[in-house]
Amino acid sequence: MRKYYVQFDWGQKRLGFATAAQAVQMPAAPVHVPLSKRELSFEETVEAVNKGMQKWEARLGKDDPVVIDDYMNAQYYGEIGVGTPAQKEMVIFDTGSSNLWVPNTRPFLTSHNIYDHSKSSSYKKNGTTFAIQYGSGPVSGVFSADTVTIGDLQLKDYTFAEVDKTSGLGLGYRLGKFDGILGLGWDSISVGGVPTPMNALVKSGQLPEPVFAFYLGNNQPGELVFGGVDPKHYTGDFSFVPLSSESYWEIKLDGVKLGSDSVSSTKSAIVDSGTSLLAGPKSEIAAIATKLGAKSILGKDGTWWTAVPSCLISPSPWAARTLP
């Protein structure tokens, strides 16, 4: 399977795709944030898929609140600092949402890092209620302002949320290695209308270019670059695709093929770093699954398919979730 290095161009409102490769030169100016990966157990994967379905169903509704993406099955996370001195937080960098939140309360029998504003000399009280609906339950807390550090970048007096209710995230959060979410989506889906992290970084003048780029390592650490791209992770030139919406990173599709066969009439898709599942209309996913000889493993046709027989412990590399 061909792997791509993806550039999210905030300034030009477009996505760039280049063939992933190894090169020799490291750029000096952009800021590099290491990304770690945690493999999920089979049980955690199944729960993440179930909650992912609820997320996608909610996203289809016209009056639904902003939804946190299915990061329980996307275990790439990196370190940021919040406060002065900086308090370590491990966050999912999520292009499917637009707010930064970190926990201020540690769930029972977990080892999550928490943010304690009483230990920060740069903390400023806000107190406005923050709430995001995630699938089966809410995540909520209050807005605050403090210094946020991402690699060598600093955002002073940045408005984010400190969260004390995370029960809606279920087992995936309790067992996960990440503490919070740093949204990299657009302003239109920012809860409370607060500036998004990327918007704040661009306006601060700290980035050489208004772009960021993901390299997700295969069984090894990955990397997120702010302010440019890393030439050691790709070869050739980028092919750019304009955005069709400034909410999620949404692009138009010309089509989807399996071999030489067209398998989808869907005309748009979201490039979402907060989920590792493919999602699509029920009939189209079912057709793809049939062509691959895949089976449903959750006891309900059209929910999740795997190319591995359901009696096996490990899920296959190919998985998809249907939309109603």
Side-chain angles (χ1 to χ4, degrees):
M1 179 183 294
R2 179 178 293 181
K3 293 180 64 178
Y4 291 94
Y5 186 54
V6 184
Q7 176 186 165
F8 293 76
D9 191 332
W10 187 274
Q12 297 295 319
K13 300 178 176 58
R14 60 184 184 174
L15 283 166
F17 300 87
T19 301
Q22 292 294 324
V24 295
Q25 183 181 0
M26 291 284 288
V31 173
H32 300 247
V33 180
L35 298 177
S36 301
K37 180 184 180 183
R38 172 181 176 267
E39 298 291 343
L40 294 182
S41 69
F42 179 71
E43 290 77 11
E44 290 175 87
T45 300
V46 170
E47 178 173 348
V49 172
N50 278 323
K51 291 186 180 294
M53 182 58 182
Q54 294 170 331
K55 174 200 72 174
W56 285 106
E57 288 174 344
R59 186 174 276 177
L60 292 175
K62 293 182 179 179
D63 299 320
D64 293 297
V66 175
V67 180
I68 289 180
D69 285 83
D70 186 18
Y71 50 82
M72 287 195 299
N73 196 38
Q75 293 284 308
Y76 286 94
Y77 51 91
E79 181 178 340
I80 66 169
V82 183
T84 306
Q87 299 175 41
K88 175 182 175 180
E89 298 288 342
M90 304 302 291
V91 297
I92 298 290
F93 293 94
D94 177 25
T95 59
S97 64
S98 294
N99 292 85
L100 168 63
W101 66 261
V102 294
N104 62 12
T105 302
R106 183 178 293 112
F108 183 61
L109 293 179
T110 69
S111 58
H112 287 293
N113 299 302
I114 62 170
Y115 166 72
D116 184 348
H117 64 236
S118 69
K119 296 181 179 179
S120 174
S121 62
S122 50
Y123 160 75
K124 292 183 179 179
K125 182 178 180 179
N126 180 306
T128 304
T129 299
F130 168 82
I132 292 181
Q133 183 70 30
Y134 173 79
S136 62
V139 174
S140 62
V142 295
F143 282 111
S144 295
D146 211 331
T147 297
V148 174
T149 304
I150 307 170
D152 294 330
L153 304 170
Q154 269 200 350
L155 294 174
K156 295 184 178 180
D157 296 329
Y158 182 72
T159 300
F160 66 100
E162 46 178 298
V163 164
D164 59 359
K165 293 182 176 63
T166 57
S167 59
L169 304 184
L171 182 65
Y173 182 71
R174 294 183 63 85
L175 299 180
K177 298 297 184 181
F178 63 93
D179 305 308
I181 299 291
L182 191 150
L184 291 169
W186 294 85
D187 291 21
S188 62
I189 59 171
S190 173
V191 173
V194 303
T196 65
M198 188 61 185
N199 190 349
L201 286 172
V202 171
K203 289 184 176 180
S204 74
Q206 298 178 73
L207 301 182
E209 298 178 77
V211 304
F212 60 93
F214 277 98
Y215 175 78
L216 302 181
N218 184 15
N219 295 317
Q220 61 183 346
E223 183 179 69
L224 171 61
V225 178
F226 285 99
V229 297
D230 189 337
K232 77 182 179 71
H233 289 315
Y234 70 95
T235 185
D237 297 322
F238 281 93
S239 296
F240 289 97
V241 180
L243 297 185
S244 58
S245 171
E246 290 180 39
S247 52
Y248 308 97
W249 289 83
E250 184 176 341
I251 57 176
K252 293 181 179 179
L253 291 180
D254 294 329
V256 179
K257 287 187 175 182
L258 185 60
S260 59
D261 298 331
S262 177
V263 293
S264 176
S265 60
T266 300
K267 299 302 181 183
S268 65
I270 294 166
V271 180
D272 184 356
S273 65
T275 179
S276 58
L277 296 177
L278 298 176
K282 184 174 182 177
S283 60
E284 295 181 0
I285 295 297
I288 294 172
T290 298
K291 287 180 178 292
L292 292 174
K295 305 292 183 181
S296 174
I297 66 168
L298 295 183
K300 180 181 178 182
D301 288 341
T303 53
W304 190 48
W305 301 85
T306 174
V308 174
S310 59
C311 61
L312 298 183
I313 297 298
S314 299
S316 77
W318 184 86
R321 168 62 80 176
T322 64
L323 302 180

